[in-house]
Amino acid sequence: MTASLPWTIGPREVLEHGLDLLEKNTDASRRLALISIDNSVELMTRTHLGLPKRITKLSMSRKEFEETASSFPSLLDGLERHSPEKLAGIDLGVIEWYHRLRNDLYHQGGSLSVSRDKVEVYAELAKALFK
C-alpha cells in the first residue's frame, strides 16, 4: 500500500495499524484489528468526500458533506452517489455489515471475539477501497 498524497497518510496509517494487529492473532488483537480497519474505512471515505473539488471533481456542497458525514451509512451512500467508479469490486453492503460487527465488538468490549477470516476479508475490502 503506497500512496504519496498527503491526505492518504492518516487512513493508511490506521489501516496498517489494523493489519499489524491482525498478525498477532489473539482474540483481543483481532477485535482491535477489526475496529481499526473499520476506522480506516470511515476515515478514507470521509477524507475522499471532503477533499477540494479540484482534487476529486466531486460537486458536493458543504451542507451536503456535513449531512453525508453524519453517519457511517450516510458516508457509504455519499460514496456510492458521488464516486461509483471507485467501487469496482467493492460491495458496500458487505462493508456496512462489517461496520455493524465492529459496533458490536466495540460496544461489548472483551465479551465477543471475531474469527481471523472475517477480519482478513474486511482488511482486503479496506485495501481495495484505499486504492
Side-chain angles (χ1 to χ4, degrees):
M1 256 185 330
T2 58
S4 59
L5 301 171
W7 52 86
T8 65
I9 294 169
R12 185 185 70 237
E13 288 175 344
V14 175
L15 179 54
E16 287 173 346
H17 178 66
L19 297 174
D20 289 344
L21 286 167
L22 179 57
E23 290 308 309
K24 293 180 181 178
N25 202 28
T26 65
D27 284 346
S29 67
R30 286 190 306 273
R31 251 190 328 273
L32 294 169
L34 189 84
I35 290 167
S36 185
I37 291 165
D38 185 69
N39 183 251
S40 77
V41 168
E42 184 170 357
L43 186 56
M44 65 181 81
T45 303
R46 183 183 309 272
T47 299
H48 173 72
L49 293 174
L51 286 170
K53 182 179 179 180
R54 287 182 176 89
I55 294 171
T56 62
K57 311 295 186 245
L58 300 181
S59 182
M60 182 184 285
S61 70
R62 183 181 304 260
K63 180 181 178 188
E64 183 183 1
F65 173 74
E66 288 172 5
E67 290 170 358
T68 299
S70 67
S71 73
F72 191 87
S74 293
L75 281 169
L76 297 181
D77 291 344
L79 190 59
E80 189 171 44
R81 186 171 45 257
H82 291 283
S83 293
E85 73 284 357
K86 303 280 186 190
L87 302 174
I90 298 172
D91 185 334
L92 293 180
V94 174
I95 288 179
E96 192 166 2
W97 183 87
Y98 277 103
H99 178 72
R100 290 178 182 179
L101 176 60
R102 170 260 180 221
N103 281 344
D104 291 343
L105 293 171
Y106 184 79
H107 293 294
Q108 295 183 29
S111 64
L112 295 177
S113 63
V114 62
S115 65
R116 182 178 176 88
D117 62 317
K118 284 188 174 80
V119 183
E120 287 173 339
V121 169
Y122 199 24
E124 290 305 313
L125 285 168
K127 288 190 280 187
L129 189 60
F130 182 81
K131 290 178 184 175

